[in-house]
Amino acid sequence: MRTLISTSFISLDGVVEAPGGEPGYRNSGWTFKNVEFVPEAFEIKEREQQEAAAILMGRVSYEAFSPVWPDMKEFADYKSMPKYVVSTTLTQDSLVSNWGETTILRSLDQVAALKETEGGPIIIHGSASLNRSLSDAGLIDRYQLLVFPLLLGAGKRLFSTTDKDAQKLKLVEHDVYANGLQKQVFDVVR
């Protein structure tokens, strides 16, 4: 079984919306506008590219990343990696041609089936709505979070407000940096 890893930049109050400057959100770009850059805090992002075998994302994140990431040297390792986009509306004609193999999945059942295949870890980038659905369905195995010392108030959240049984997490890696950023890596306890 493959490991499904959710990776996020997240504010202390749980917001994951527009960390990189995506338009339409009041606090867009909060990861670099409001917190001093400390390179060692982002080591995990480089490691994710080396350890992941595939990328999973929702349609909105795919449409935001696919025009930019294929040509960015910071994401070079992702270019040849298989990509999976969970969407009920995206069509094959909408996929970019310069970012390697991309497969459209139409349901969480297809994500569950993908987890049952052979291969290494699958990493989820962005995709707040997809993350909430996958978490509620019990499909996420690990959370890799960079928690920013910010309270953003309104905005898309990583975790849903669904009334459900408690889900235990095990802290497997953590660090705190001079700028207040925290790395928190949790495995889901089954």
Side-chain angles (χ1 to χ4, degrees), residues 114-133:
L114 174 64
K115 282 187 63 172
E116 296 293 329
T117 63
E118 292 293 319
I122 304 166
I123 195 151
I124 309 163
H125 277 287
S127 310
S129 296
L130 177 61
N131 262 289
R132 289 189 298 271
S133 296

Side-chain angles (χ1 to χ4, degrees), residues 5-12 14-16 41-42 44-45 48 124 131 140 142-148 158-159 169 171 173-175 177 181-186:
I5 301 169
S6 171
T7 179
S8 293
F9 293 136
I10 186 167
S11 68
L12 190 58
V15 175
V16 294
F42 295 88
I44 193 168
K45 294 293 150 194
E48 287 171 351
I124 309 163
N131 262 289
I140 295 178
R142 174 174 276 193
Y143 293 95
Q144 295 183 172
L145 308 174
L146 281 179
V147 183
F148 285 72
L158 181 61
F159 301 104
L169 305 175
L171 183 66
E173 184 180 345
H174 63 91
D175 213 336
Y177 304 95
L181 201 63
Q182 298 175 42
K183 173 176 60 179
Q184 299 177 0
V185 179
F186 296 97

